[in-house]
Amino acid sequence: FNFPGAFSIFKNFSVVGLFELFIYIIAGLVTYLIVKKSNLNFRNNSVILHNLNVYLIRSFFWIVLIIGLVDIAIAFMRVEKIFEFFFGKETASNFSRPVFVGLYFHVPLIIIGFVIAKFTKTIGFHWLSLLIVASELLIVITRFVFSYEQTFMGDLVRYWYAGLFLFASAYTLYEDGHVRVDILYQGLKEKTKNLVNCFGSILMGWSTSIVIILICFYGKQSIVNSPVANFEITQQGSVGMFIKYHMAVFLAIFGVTMLIQFISYFFESIADYKNEKGKRIIATLSSH
């Protein structure tokens, strides 16, 4: 929004700059009060952050599932001119406008996805994997049996495929499923491993995640802000799905969820180092 920056008031005083600085101060005070009041140990804080991440990831799964199905239906009816048959050219033209589809279909479905995630337990990665295989199989059948193929069919596969890998990365970190390339770690003592995980989370995990988030959101022309502001679509235009700007957001989701999970991992490693009660439970989705 072209704000001058929180510390701009020390050069040129402005109400907007003062407002920004006020936001930082309030954020710091609220954080301090929450930590002081909670009296939670490191392991409990780790669990809280992980559960938050699980909810976010579950929400994003439902969002890409519902929007994928709805948007491909809209794309099919748009390409085959079904909207014109039922509503006429003037009304049908709205479905060729990314802003119309984004505001009146995508945004409500995103809200619905967050609501559904509140009342469900499974993260849904296995279902998303199955849907990717099914959608790819459908392309093969329609191409070789019915000689029918459209751009939006491939868009759906890429949409779900990107969501699967970028959303699943944070939970894979929780399950310690990422590949460790090392020659020393496995031979270290448990306490030393915990220290390595603590410093590794900060030096490698946090820094990488923050860089990704800054690249995604810093400035109007950043790789997320610009596509979202313009409801950007692919070069194929009206023959494809209107989800290109979603896929730009996927990278930001990856950065945010990985940062939250690395902080949770950091707390968990400290808890293990301090021998706090409890331990991380792997692959128990029903508990969330």
Side-chain angles (χ1 to χ4, degrees):
F1 298 101
N2 290 326
F3 282 11
F7 302 105
S8 63
I9 61 169
F10 298 110
K11 297 180 180 178
N12 297 306
F13 180 82
S14 67
V15 176
V16 176
L18 183 62
F19 173 70
E20 286 188 89
L21 183 60
F22 181 73
I23 291 175
Y24 279 94
I25 294 172
I26 291 299
L29 288 175
V30 170
T31 302
Y32 172 77
L33 291 174
I34 291 174
V35 172
K36 186 177 180 180
K37 185 178 180 180
S38 66
N39 292 321
L40 296 175
N41 60 24
F42 287 107
R43 199 176 303 280
N44 288 335
N45 279 307
S46 174
V47 171
I48 290 172
L49 286 173
H50 173 66
N51 288 342
L52 168 64
N53 229 15
V54 168
Y55 168 70
L56 291 176
I57 294 169
R58 188 166 61 240
S59 300
F60 297 138
F61 159 73
W62 282 107
I63 288 168
V64 298
L65 170 63
I66 298 170
I67 288 182
L69 295 175
V70 171
D71 203 276
I72 196 172
I74 293 174
F76 172 75
M77 290 188 284
R78 182 173 59 243
V79 170
E80 299 301 330
K81 303 186 184 304
I82 296 176
F83 287 124
E84 291 185 15
F85 178 79
F86 286 102
F87 305 115
K89 288 187 177 181
E90 185 175 347
T91 303
S93 64
N94 289 327
F95 290 92
S96 297
R97 296 169 50 227
V99 175
F100 176 82
V101 175
L103 287 178
Y104 295 104
F105 288 90
H106 292 174
V107 172
L109 292 175
I110 289 171
I111 296 173
I112 291 172
F114 279 108
V115 173
I116 293 175
K118 181 66 177 177
F119 300 99
T120 57
K121 297 299 181 182
T122 179
I123 292 182
F125 292 141
H126 52 294
W127 294 112
L128 190 53
S129 302
L130 180 62
L131 287 168
I132 292 170
V133 174
S135 57
E136 190 66 61
L137 178 62
L138 182 63
I139 292 175
V140 174
I141 293 174
T142 55
R143 178 192 298 170
F144 293 103
V145 177
F146 301 102
S147 299
Y148 180 85
E149 184 177 8
Q150 295 288 353
T151 302
F152 57 75
M153 300 169 73
D155 288 347
L156 181 63
V157 174
R158 287 187 289 272
Y159 183 59
W160 281 344
Y161 197 75
L164 174 64
F165 278 87
L166 291 174
F167 299 169
S169 293
Y171 197 85
T172 304
L173 175 63
Y174 171 74
E175 290 192 323
D176 209 12
H178 289 282
V179 176
R180 289 182 181 268
V181 182
D182 67 79
I183 56 176
L184 300 174
Y185 182 84
Q186 296 301 327
L188 298 176
K189 297 179 180 178
E190 284 302 316
K191 280 190 172 291
T192 307
K193 286 183 178 181
N194 295 329
L195 287 177
V196 170
N197 290 334
C198 286
F199 288 105
S201 296
I202 298 173
L203 297 176
M204 306 301 293
W206 296 10
S207 59
T208 303
S209 301
I210 290 171
V211 167
I212 292 172
I213 293 169
L214 290 176
I215 291 173
C216 288
F217 292 117
Y218 193 79
K220 283 186 175 181
Q221 301 305 316
S222 66
I223 61 175
V224 171
N225 291 344
S226 179
V228 171
N230 298 293
F231 290 93
E232 187 174 322
I233 61 175
T234 60
Q235 294 180 346
Q236 286 80 8
S238 60
V239 296
M241 294 175 65
F242 290 169
I243 41 81
K244 183 179 179 181
Y245 71 98
H246 288 202
M247 299 179 74
V249 179
F250 284 3
L251 185 59
I253 291 172
F254 168 77
V256 170
T257 54
M258 286 296 285
L259 178 60
I260 295 173
Q261 199 62 55
F262 268 118
I263 297 173
S264 173
Y265 194 70
F266 171 77
F267 286 153
E268 186 73 28
S269 299
I270 294 179
D272 290 338
Y273 182 81
K274 293 167 63 70
N275 292 320
E276 289 184 359
K277 293 181 179 180
K279 62 179 181 178
R280 182 174 49 172
I281 302 174
I282 304 297
T284 55
L285 303 188
S286 60
S287 65
H288 306 299

